[in-house]
Each structure stands twice: as C-alpha cells, then as structure tokens.
Amino acid sequence: MKNSKFNLFHENRLVFMAEGARKAPEKSDVPSVKEADSQRDLGTEAARTEEKISHILKSLDGLKKPTAKTEKMKEQAIKIREKLNGLNEKREELTLQTLDKLNSTFDNNIQGFRIQVLKDVLSSSVQDIDRGNVDSLITAFALLKSDDSPLSIPNSGYSIQRRGHLLVLEHKGGWKNSTGEKMPKEEITFKVALVGDKWEIQGSEGKKLPEKFTPTQNPLTGAVEQKLESYKFYSSGQTKLNYEPKQKPASPSTPEAKVAKPKENVEKYDAVKVAECLKLIHEHTGAKREIPGELFKALQDFIKDIAKDSTKAFNQGDVNAYITRSKDGRSYRIATEMKGGPVVQYLEKGGSAIGNAVGKKAEYKLDPISNKIPSEDLKNGRISVKFEGSQPAPSTKPKTVDTNEPTPDPKLLRILKNQEGKVHEEARIAEGMKEWTKNLKKAVDQIVKSFEWLSKVKDLAKEIQQAKGCDWNQASKDAVRFKDWCENFDRSINLKTQTPQETITAINQGLNMLPGEVQTRYATKFKIEDGKSRLASLGKEVPSSAEVARGEVAPKPQKESGEVKGIKEAYDSMAKSFDLGKIDISNWPGTGKSVSELKLVLGIQDGNSHVMKDGKGNEFYFKVNGNTMELYIKNKGTKEFIKYALNENNGKRVVPTSEVGVAEKGGREKYDEKMEANFQLLLSKVKNLKKGEDISFKTKDGREFFINSLGKNRFQAIEMDINNNTLGEAKLSLKELANFRNMAQRIADKPNFKSANESNFAKIDKINLLKINDIQLMLAVKNLREIMQSPADKERLRTNFQDISEAHAEMSLAHTYSVSEDCSLTVSEKGIIKLTQKGIPTITYTPKKSNSAVA
Amino acid sequence: MQLQELIANSAALNSLPQEARDIRTNAMLSADDSTMQQFIDVLSNEAMQLEKINQDMASQTEEIGVLVAEAKQLEKQAERAISKEAESSERAGEEAQADALLKQLDEIAGK
C-alpha cells in the first residue's frame, strides 16, 4: 500500500526541472511576470524545486533514527535550495535590467524611433486599414511630444505633429476626402479624446472619422488610395508597465495648454477678450458674422509675441487654442477647441481664417499696409468678417516677389472707396501706376524673350555687315554686343527708380546698337518696334507721379529728349521728308505713307509723338487716336501749334488751338478775366467761321470745347472729355456764346450733360485703360492667334475681358477700342466683347458671373 | 531577423503580457537601424547572462540528481521500514488479540 505523499518525488518531474534550468523556456509555456506570483503558488520551476527539497528535508526529519547519511543529505538539499534561489533572483533581476535597458534605448533614440514608427504607421496605413494600423497610429500619437515642430517622415511627403490632444497629419500632395474632392489644406487633423474608458481618434468635427482621407499621391508606395478611418484604442492598463512611453495623450478636460500658458504674457493681453474672439472664430458656420474690433485687437496682442516658427497655447474658460506662427513670421495658424465642441479652424496672415473640413474662409478686413484693424473699425467697435466659399490652400512656398515694385494691393482701393462710395481718384491713379509698371515689366520680359533669335549672332552680323558696309569683325562685334545687351536687358530695368520713359529709353539704347536699317527691319520683323511703340504710347497715357501730384492727368506732347535716340532717328528721318510749309493735306504728309504705316514708323499707337523740327525750324508733333491722326504744327516764330485732323481718307485743317483756360490748381470750374479775355479772342475767330467749319480749344486744366458753325449765326458748342468723347452739347447763338461761363453753363444745363468726372466713358476708360494697354502689350509680342494658343495668355486675356466687360455692363455703355492698328475691341452695352484682328477669326467674350471663358 | 529571434527568446519580453509584448515587438522591429542595433545589444546581453544563469543551474543538476537518487533510496528504506513496522505491529496486534482470546477461553474453561 502506497502513501500518496511520496509521489512528489516522481522521477519525471525532477528530470523536467533539470532540463528547464538548462534552456530558455518555450514562449507558450513561460508565464509572465504578472502571472509568476500566482503560478509560483501552484509550483513554478523554482517553486517545485523548493518544494521538492522541502519534502526531502521533511522526510529526512521524519526519520525516527537520523543517520549520518541522512544528515548529509539534508545539508546538501539546503545548499541546493539556496543556490537555486540565488539563480532565480539573478534571473528576475536580469529581466528587470533588460526592460530598463530597452526603455533607455527607447528614450535615447526617441526621435529616430518615432520616425520609424510613424513611417511604419503611415506606410502600413496606405496599404490597408485595420485595427493594427489604428493602434499604430495611436502609438505614434503617444510617441509625439506635444507642440513639438512637425515631424517629417523622410522621403515620404508626410509629416506628423501633435498639438495637445490634436494629431495633425500633413501630406505634401494634399488629401482627397471620401467623395474625391481635394481637401483645401495639406493637412488633416484628428482629435484624440477619452470617451468613457476608451481612447478614440476622432475627426476634426469631433466625430468618429466618417471621412476617408486619401493623399493625392502616396510617395511611399505609389498607391493612390489611403484610408484612415474609425480609429479607436484602449488604455488596457498598459500604461502601468515600465515600457510605456512617458507621454500620454492629454485629456480634453485637462489640456496641456493650461501648463503651457506663458506667464510673462499674462499682463499683455486681455484673456477674456481673446477667449471671446477665439470663440467667435471657432463658431463660424459659413454665415456672415461680425467680430468686435476690440476682441480682435486683444487676439493680436496675444499673438504678437509669438516667436517665428513656434506655437503658443491659450486657455481661458472653455476655450483652448494653439496658435502657431509661420517660419517667415508672416502668418498665424490658430487651432481652437471648445469643450465638447468641434476643434479646428485656422487664421492666417493675420487676416483670413480658413475653416477646417468644410473649407470655409473667413476674411478679416485688415489695413493692408499696417496689417492692423483699420482705426475707424476699432473706433466703431466692430469689424466685418466676410465668409467666402471654398478656397484653395495658400501656398506655403515663398512667392517670387518683384522686390523692385510692391504688388498693388486691391484692398487699398476697396478701402479707399469709403463711406460716401466715392472712388479716391488719387489712389486709383496710384494703383494704375503700379499696375502699369507691373504690366510694363511683363511686356519687357516678353520682349526680351523675343530676342532669343539673337542667338543666331552670325545671321545678325551678316545683316549688320551689309547695312553698315563694315568688315566682318566689326559686324560680329556689334552683333555680339547687341546679343549681350539683350541677355542682360532685364538688369537694366529698375521699375522702382525708373520712370516709364526711362525704361523705354533703356530699350532704345539697346536698339540703337544696330544700324538703322537693320533696326527697322528686325524691329518690324520681331515686333520690337511695335512693342516699343506701345510702351511709348503707354508712357504717355499713364501720367507720371509728378503729374498725378499736380492733378494734371491729361497727356501732353512729349518734349524732345536727347535720350530717346531710337525714336528720334525715325522722327528725324520723317522730319527731313517734311516741308511743313507745303504740306498737301489731301495727300498728307507727302510721304505716300498711310496713317498706319506712319504710326508704325513713328512708333506711335494712341497718344502723342515727340516734338520734332523740320529743316526750317518749324516744330510739329502727332497725336494719334485709333485711325485718326492729328498733326500739330508750330511755325517758327509763333507760339501756338496748329492742329490738323488727319485720317486715312481725309484730312482737314482745324482752327489753331487756343488755350483759354487758366492753370490754377483745382480751378476747373474757376473763371477769371484772363480766361475770358482769351475766350473773347477766340470768339472773334468763331464769328468768321463758315457753315460746317469749326474751331476747338481747351482750357489749361484740360477741358476741351468744340464750336461748330451751323450757319446763320447758330453754333453748336460741345464739351469733350480728355478722350474726345462728348460730355454735352448745346446749340447756341453768337449772343449766347457771349462769354465762356455762359457757354459752359448752357452745355452743362442740358439734361444729358455729364461732367468730366462723372462721364461714364471717362470712368470706364480709366478702368479699362490698363486692361486695353495690357492687351496691347500682349499683341506687341504675339499675334492674337499665338495668344489664344497659350493658356497663360488666354487666361490673362480673359481676366482683362472680364474687367472691361463688367465696367461696360455696369454702365450699359457700348464702345469700340482701337487696340492696335489691325485689332479692335468692341464692347456692347451688355458687356459682350468682340476682339477682331485681321486674318484671325473674331473672338467673342460673353460675360458670366463665374467660369467665363474666351470662346 | 536577429532581433526577431532575440525578442522571441527574451525572458524579459516574454515576461510581459501578450498584448504589451506584441506592441513592443512591433515597435522595436520598426526602429531605425541604429536603434535596432542597440536593442540587439541589450537583448544579446540578456541572452548571454541568461545563458550563464542557466549554466549555473545546469551545474546543480548532477548534485540534485545524486540527492534525488539518495532520497529515493531513503524513501524505499523508509517504505520498507514502515512496512516492516506495520507488519510487526499487525502481527503483534494479532498475537495480543489471540492471547486475549486464549485468556478468555482459559477463564471460561477454568470456570
């Protein structure tokens, strides 16, 4: 009969223990540390050994007659037990040490570790989204330190950042949402929130990621699709383990913002107002709303001390926000959160807030110069916030800026179009100047491009050799010199310091390197001369700053300048052919050339030519408007220019211009004795007009009048604007023409009269001048067919059309503009534009509210 | 691959709960080369020390074996002794019982 207690010494169990001590335990058989304590009670390897030895000792102790042998055995068992205990302790210690070392390794390499983990997360996420990906993403989140700079994943296009409990994923190529629409921003933001006892990653609206976010192109795999949806994870007690990363997701109820609030700023801003402002920003839903200026100012006070490329947290009441200043310091990005509410919106460039998922944009009207709220808005206590539709994300890349000339700010004009709805004329002209110089620069660039043919220096040298009759070496040198000049041409342009005329001079200096014959031929061939002449024309149409300052906006004949050699040569050539004393108007100007040919030779489009002298000292210049050309001649010894109106088919002499006005500043409506004296002098000539003859004159402040004899002492008096468009007219007797004031008043009293300032056409013309000029510039270097083949040019044309069209449609005014000698632009009252050029099908532009197209 | 083997054989990592162990395993295998090498160093060191401990334990095996053999012998001796004792006790009991019965018989017969 066996006693069961002796079964403990079964041989198999002892053997197992010995083998277990020799090799590492099998994974599945090895209990964890946590399990060890409980398993020890049941008999782990060590415990079993200990138990066995205890039993041996007990057995030995139980012997009634201990012998020396049993005593020795007992002693031996005790030693073994101690030794095994020591080894087990060592083993446990080794486990803890190993975990500590792994933690240290982890901590010491956290950055690389993060990158690898995140890379893995993002890489695996694009393959397939499953629970593992979600957990990885959460792990990644836990690895990130709050408010660190975005962590870039090398060669991936991704970066990831943690802002408090927000997780921001950025993909250089942008994202598409579940409906395939491109996201307005390059980044998507998740919120990590503790829901019950579970951690969740939610969408930026605080919902459980209903969206599917897809990077437009995945650089890691080349795959297009990426799904990031329904993230969840569980705390599961693992945070208690040694190996848990130190950073834990912040609870929404205890944002790290509280800790991060910089103490030194406490007195520099009004936290309550900042919170109110952020609330308003946060709560916008697409509807128009207003933010009080004082609140916005408080926000500005708060953000102004943020260093470049850093983030400042804000917490007040239930408002949490993280405000990041860009690397260049020019813009701010605000992420806001209300307790229990949605999370993110953005404020950029201190002026516009861009919503999150819905892509709304809120524009805060700021002074474009100071980038502050306009004082009147502050004074009134409110600023307007206008919300617009979806906007493309502003590029983070630095823009190429022409440092010579600041980009005209369209807001400037809008702001100056202030309370009374009046357009600030000076600002408009100033803006026009900026716009013009910008266009000029573009035109110059295009002209420079047209010089590319000059790489064929050899051909050019041949031309020069033939024209000059010089040797080949000299011709080559000239050709190379000219080519060098062309290549460096843009360096000679400095719009900031040069007047338009100086710029044109710079162009001429280059052209003058060529012999006249070559210059003319090449200029014509490559439209250099054409472009140059348009520039010259523009230079006259747009007043100089000094003229603007003086209020003189009317073009004046340009004085001859020694610098303008290129054009001067042409003029000299023309002047020599003139005998002003024998001009046959019907076959003017005696050269056999048509007006258009003369315009080309003279380098004139619309505007005035330079003043020239013929061989006898008589001075003359041309004024061109479309196909109409006027010749002004001042005979030697006289003071006045005589005007000749000329066109392709007819030319008639006009009574010499009399300047009857006074040049007093702002004296447009002023009237004085001197003016009247001049007017009376003029009337003496009017009396002698035969039926059908006319006389014109203008005042020194730019008003122009035209008196036409109707016969029988009846006259038609017409006032014209600077573009010779009728402002008003009146039929008057000679008696009614008694004095200038009376005449002007009679014209002005007519119901249809429009003052020069109020002239629809004058307004439209000012608006459209730049646009027409821009089209002229385009045509200076390309013909219409070429323009229509270039998407960029076509878009530029469309933009110009849109503005012109709107201006005309607004005022229900039709007009035909002469764009170039073979191109005209007709605008209907409804703003329909027809652009015609010889040999090219007519281009029709029909304005639409949006998505207009040139057809 | 080396790290994977070390992780699989690591007593420290195997002491963790399954879920935690899997997270760490994935994380370590996702580390950059330099960090991964450091993980390898740590786990290699652990394996080396563990091997040493195991060798120490193995060295006790012989002693334990001898002790167990002797214990088994003692166990048998004890079994035999106990068995003999029990037999003798049983025999003694039977003899005593028989004596008691004989005594009763003698008393009955003597009456």
Side-chain angles (χ1 to χ4, degrees):
Chain A
M1 185 177 175
K2 269 190 176 177
N3 190 326
S4 61
K5 66 184 176 182
F6 294 109
N7 290 339
L8 286 171
F9 294 96
H10 192 280
E11 186 177 352
N12 288 342
R13 303 196 70 174
L14 286 169
V15 169
F16 170 78
M17 180 202 73
E19 285 179 350
R22 268 202 304 272
K23 67 177 184 180
E26 291 298 326
K27 192 176 172 183
S28 58
D29 292 328
V30 179
S32 70
V33 167
K34 287 192 80 175
E35 294 163 336
D37 287 340
S38 57
Q39 287 187 356
R40 188 176 289 123
D41 294 336
L42 300 172
T44 60
E45 183 180 350
R48 284 198 299 272
T49 305
E50 165 64 22
E51 195 174 357
K52 193 174 289 180
I53 291 172
S54 294
H55 275 281
I56 291 171
L57 292 172
K58 194 177 175 183
S59 297
L60 293 173
D61 285 340
L63 293 176
K64 290 180 178 176
K65 295 175 182 176
T67 62
K69 188 177 180 181
T70 59
E71 284 300 314
K72 191 181 175 185
M73 282 178 67
K74 185 178 173 182
E75 192 179 320
Q76 198 174 357
I78 289 170
K79 276 184 184 176
I80 290 171
R81 181 171 66 178
E82 287 174 351
K83 200 161 189 172
L84 288 176
N85 283 343
L87 288 173
N88 279 327
E89 281 175 11
K90 271 189 181 179
R91 191 168 177 152
E92 285 184 8
E93 195 178 339
L94 177 64
T95 295
L96 294 175
Q97 279 177 358
T98 301
L99 290 175
D100 280 346
K101 282 179 184 175
L102 291 174
N103 277 338
S104 299
T105 304
F106 175 83
D107 290 340
N108 293 337
N109 297 278
I110 189 75
Q111 191 73 356
F113 192 81
R114 279 183 200 149
I115 290 173
Q116 289 300 317
V117 170
L118 296 174
K119 190 172 181 177
D120 177 61
V121 166
L122 297 171
S123 178
S124 62
S125 296
V126 300
Q127 300 291 346
D128 185 24
I129 285 293
D130 58 18
R131 181 62 197 284
N133 298 123
V134 176
D135 287 346
S136 296
L137 198 57
I138 297 297
T139 303
F141 176 82
L143 292 172
L144 293 167
K145 287 181 181 174
S146 182
D147 295 334
D148 264 1
S149 298
L151 191 65
S152 293
I153 313 300
N155 304 319
S156 73
Y158 287 101
S159 71
I160 190 167
Q161 186 187 24
R162 183 181 162 198
R163 298 177 194 150
H165 50 279
L166 302 178
L167 183 64
V168 180
L169 266 179
E170 188 174 336
H171 183 265
K172 278 182 183 172
W175 303 82
K176 288 189 294 187
N177 64 17
S178 53
T179 58
E181 294 168 342
K182 179 111 192 235
M183 302 291 284
K185 294 187 73 65
E186 289 181 346
E187 60 180 38
I188 51 175
T189 306
F190 307 111
K191 177 186 177 185
V192 178
L194 188 63
V195 179
D197 60 348
K198 296 173 184 175
W199 287 99
E200 287 186 359
I201 285 189
Q202 302 173 337
S204 52
E205 297 281 347
K207 297 171 184 172
K208 290 183 185 177
L209 283 188
E211 307 95 338
K212 181 175 83 173
F213 295 102
T214 307
T216 52
Q217 187 182 13
N218 171 29
L220 291 174
T221 63
V224 176
E225 293 290 310
Q226 179 181 9
K227 301 170 185 176
L228 296 171
E229 48 189 3
S230 302
Y231 293 113
K232 276 190 178 183
F233 80 110
Y234 304 88
S235 55
S236 71
Q238 64 202 47
T239 55
K240 294 176 183 175
L241 297 172
N242 292 335
Y243 201 54
E244 186 66 16
K246 289 171 185 174
Q247 292 79 35
K248 296 171 189 175
S251 163
S253 59
T254 55
E256 295 177 9
K258 285 180 179 175
V259 181
K261 191 164 76 174
K263 195 177 179 182
E264 64 273 17
N265 283 329
V266 167
E267 294 178 359
K268 292 183 181 178
Y269 65 93
D270 186 332
V272 175
K273 286 181 180 173
V274 175
E276 287 301 311
C277 188
L278 289 169
K279 260 187 185 178
L280 288 174
I281 292 173
H282 179 85
E283 289 166 356
H284 90 70
T285 57
K288 185 178 179 182
R289 62 180 304 130
E290 289 184 333
I291 291 180
E294 57 176 340
L295 299 187
F296 204 81
K297 186 176 181 308
L299 178 63
Q300 286 188 317
D301 289 343
F302 176 76
I303 65 179
K304 69 183 178 185
D305 292 328
I306 300 176
K308 289 178 183 176
D309 199 19
S310 64
T311 298
K312 188 170 162 180
F314 174 84
N315 173 256
Q316 172 74 22
D318 59 353
V319 179
N320 298 322
Y322 300 88
I323 305 172
T324 303
R325 192 174 181 186
S326 63
K327 284 183 181 175
D328 64 6
R330 290 181 179 177
S331 63
Y332 296 91
R333 184 167 51 208
I334 299 179
T336 59
E337 185 212 25
M338 304 297 126
K339 278 179 185 170
V343 181
V344 183
Q345 290 179 46
Y346 297 102
L347 179 75
E348 293 197 355
K349 290 185 178 175
S352 57
I354 298 174
N356 43 21
V358 290
K360 298 286 184 186
K361 179 182 176 184
E363 183 178 277
Y364 298 88
K365 287 184 179 174
L366 298 180
D367 185 311
I369 297 168
S370 65
N371 204 28
K372 291 178 180 172
I373 302 165
S375 55
E376 61 266 32
D377 289 331
L378 282 177
K379 194 177 172 184
N380 296 333
R382 302 196 79 75
I383 60 169
S384 160
V385 180
K386 183 184 171 190
F387 292 92
E388 298 171 359
S390 179
Q391 297 280 336
S395 172
T396 53
K397 291 179 182 175
K399 291 178 182 174
T400 305
V401 178
D402 179 3
T403 53
N404 290 332
E405 190 64 37
T407 305
D409 192 334
K411 285 182 181 175
L412 179 65
L413 195 61
R414 287 206 298 273
I415 288 170
L416 292 173
K417 222 188 237 183
N418 46 24
Q419 297 87 357
E420 296 175 16
K422 282 186 178 176
V423 176
H424 196 296
E425 199 64 22
E426 198 168 318
R428 170 174 281 189
I429 294 170
E431 189 190 45
M433 284 293 289
K434 285 181 181 176
E435 188 70 22
W436 183 84
T437 49
K438 223 169 73 173
N439 289 339
L440 176 63
K441 179 76 167 66
K442 284 180 190 170
V444 165
D445 288 345
Q446 284 177 312
I447 290 171
V448 170
K449 279 182 187 173
S450 74
F451 282 142
E452 286 172 0
W453 59 271
L454 290 168
S455 60
K456 297 173 183 174
V457 179
K458 197 175 173 184
D459 294 342
L460 179 62
K462 276 183 187 173
E463 299 258 7
I464 292 172
Q465 189 183 23
Q466 286 173 0
K468 274 189 171 180
C470 59
D471 62 28
W472 175 250
N473 283 343
Q474 184 59 45
S476 301
K477 279 180 186 173
D478 286 354
V480 170
R481 208 167 120 246
F482 185 52
K483 174 183 162 288
D484 290 345
W485 175 84
C486 288
E487 287 174 348
N488 296 304
F489 173 73
D490 54 344
R491 292 184 197 166
S492 66
I493 298 295
N494 186 340
L495 294 176
K496 193 174 181 181
T497 57
Q498 285 177 340
T499 65
Q501 194 57 51
E502 284 170 337
T503 306
I504 294 164
T505 302
I507 297 172
N508 286 331
Q509 282 171 346
L511 285 174
N512 287 338
M513 291 178 191
L514 301 175
E517 191 180 338
V518 175
Q519 184 186 120
T520 304
R521 186 159 62 253
Y522 273 79
T524 304
K525 187 176 177 184
F526 293 94
K527 297 196 175 185
I528 296 166
E529 185 71 21
D530 195 24
K532 183 192 69 179
S533 66
R534 289 166 202 281
L535 294 172
S537 170
L538 280 172
K540 282 146 53 89
E541 291 292 340
V542 180
S544 69
S545 301
E547 285 173 326
V548 172
R550 290 198 302 271
E552 297 172 357
V553 293
K556 293 175 185 292
Q558 293 173 3
K559 297 295 178 189
E560 186 177 10
S561 165
E563 295 176 359
V564 191
K565 291 175 185 171
I567 295 174
K568 184 176 176 298
E569 269 186 14
Y571 290 163
D572 286 346
S573 171
M574 284 293 297
K576 282 174 190 171
S577 70
F578 285 168
D579 180 355
L580 293 172
K582 295 179 182 176
I583 287 179
D584 179 358
I585 299 302
S586 63
N587 186 26
W588 106 272
T591 61
K593 291 181 183 295
S594 68
V595 169
S596 55
E597 285 172 327
L598 277 172
K599 281 164 70 177
L600 188 61
V601 172
L602 291 170
I604 307 171
Q605 282 300 317
D606 288 353
N608 297 349
S609 74
H610 296 270
V611 176
M612 298 166 275
K613 283 183 182 177
D614 69 358
K616 296 175 181 174
N618 300 316
E619 293 178 77
F620 67 101
Y621 68 93
F622 296 95
K623 181 177 181 180
V624 181
N625 184 15
N627 287 329
T628 302
M629 198 170 198
E630 295 167 348
L631 171 64
Y632 289 79
I633 301 173
K634 184 163 75 73
N635 290 316
K636 193 176 182 182
T638 63
K639 291 183 179 177
E640 292 179 344
F641 279 91
I642 299 168
K643 176 181 173 184
Y644 292 79
L646 307 163
N647 57 38
E648 296 277 6
N649 304 311
N650 188 28
K652 64 177 178 178
R653 183 174 179 183
V654 180
V655 175
T657 299
S658 293
E659 294 187 333
V660 298
V662 289
E664 288 184 18
K665 193 177 179 183
R668 184 175 177 80
E669 299 300 330
K670 284 190 178 179
Y671 180 80
D672 66 8
E673 290 177 3
K674 187 180 176 185
M675 182 178 183
E676 186 55 35
N678 286 337
F679 185 70
Q680 291 302 324
L681 182 66
L682 180 79
L683 282 183
S684 66
K685 295 177 182 175
V686 168
K687 287 175 190 173
N688 297 325
L689 289 175
K690 292 176 182 174
K691 185 180 178 182
E693 289 185 333
D694 52 35
I695 188 170
S696 69
F697 63 94
K698 67 177 178 181
T699 64
K700 284 189 176 177
D701 62 357
R703 296 177 75 178
E704 289 193 13
F705 292 86
F706 186 88
I707 300 174
N708 181 35
S709 172
L710 301 172
K712 297 180 183 177
N713 274 344
R714 295 289 294 173
F715 300 91
Q716 182 189 31
I718 302 171
E719 182 174 358
M720 295 169 289
D721 67 10
I722 56 172
N723 292 300
N724 288 332
N725 297 294
T726 301
L727 295 173
E729 62 173 322
K731 290 185 174 62
L732 305 169
S733 66
L734 189 60
K735 195 178 177 182
E736 287 168 324
L737 279 172
N739 58 57
F740 175 78
R741 173 178 283 178
N742 187 59
M743 181 200 72
Q745 193 61 50
R746 290 294 297 269
I747 297 171
D749 285 346
K750 294 290 180 184
N752 293 333
F753 177 80
K754 293 163 186 151
S755 74
N757 273 347
E758 292 167 351
S759 162
N760 279 345
F761 192 85
K763 280 185 182 176
I764 288 176
D765 204 37
K766 283 178 185 172
I767 293 167
N768 291 344
L769 180 62
L770 300 171
K771 307 298 174 185
I772 299 290
N773 284 342
D774 190 39
I775 298 171
Q776 286 176 340
L777 289 170
M778 294 170 77
L779 288 167
V781 290
K782 287 182 178 178
N783 65 31
L784 206 46
R785 194 186 299 277
E786 290 168 332
I787 289 170
M788 292 305 290
Q789 285 170 352
S790 159
D793 286 346
K794 199 173 170 183
E795 176 58 24
R796 185 174 155 195
L797 198 60
R798 193 197 67 80
T799 305
N800 287 330
F801 281 176
Q802 179 68 20
D803 291 345
I804 294 169
S805 177
E806 282 177 1
H808 280 266
E810 190 181 337
M811 296 183 185
S812 297
L813 193 67
H815 186 67
T816 297
Y817 296 88
S818 175
V819 180
S820 70
E821 64 189 42
D822 63 346
C823 183
S824 65
L825 187 149
T826 303
V827 196
S828 75
E829 290 178 350
K830 292 181 178 176
I832 296 170
I833 293 176
K834 289 185 188 302
L835 185 65
T836 55
Q837 189 178 35
K838 225 175 206 175
I840 309 284
T842 298
I843 291 173
T844 304
Y845 174 80
T846 306
K848 292 176 186 172
K849 285 187 177 177
S850 61
N851 300 323
S852 299
V854 175
Chain B
M1 191 56 78
Q2 188 188 0
L3 180 61
Q4 220 162 358
E5 288 174 5
L6 286 167
I7 289 170
N9 293 326
S10 168
L13 290 174
N14 285 325
S15 71
L16 297 173
Q18 183 72 38
E19 190 180 355
R21 185 169 63 229
D22 289 346
I23 290 172
R24 271 67 193 171
T25 300
N26 290 334
M28 283 193 289
L29 292 173
S30 301
D32 61 289
D33 291 346
S34 163
T35 310
M36 202 179 278
Q37 186 55 49
Q38 292 178 55
F39 284 134
I40 289 172
D41 292 344
V42 171
L43 293 179
S44 297
N45 185 53
E46 186 208 19
M48 205 168 65
Q49 294 204 37
L50 195 60
E51 180 65 20
K52 202 175 170 184
I53 290 170
N54 287 340
Q55 280 175 0
D56 285 346
M57 291 187 79
S59 68
Q60 302 302 312
T61 305
E62 198 174 340
E63 282 187 60
I64 291 172
V66 171
L67 197 61
V68 167
E70 288 177 352
K72 280 170 68 179
Q73 198 174 358
L74 284 173
E75 186 181 11
K76 285 179 182 173
Q77 284 177 3
E79 277 183 28
R80 280 199 297 273
I82 290 168
S83 174
K84 201 182 277 182
E85 192 175 340
E87 285 176 5
S88 70
S89 296
E90 192 177 358
R91 203 177 296 122
E94 287 172 355
E95 285 175 359
Q97 198 173 4
D99 287 345
L101 287 171
L102 284 172
K103 195 176 178 180
Q104 286 177 359
L105 287 171
D106 289 343
E107 286 177 359
I108 294 168
K111 288 177 184 179

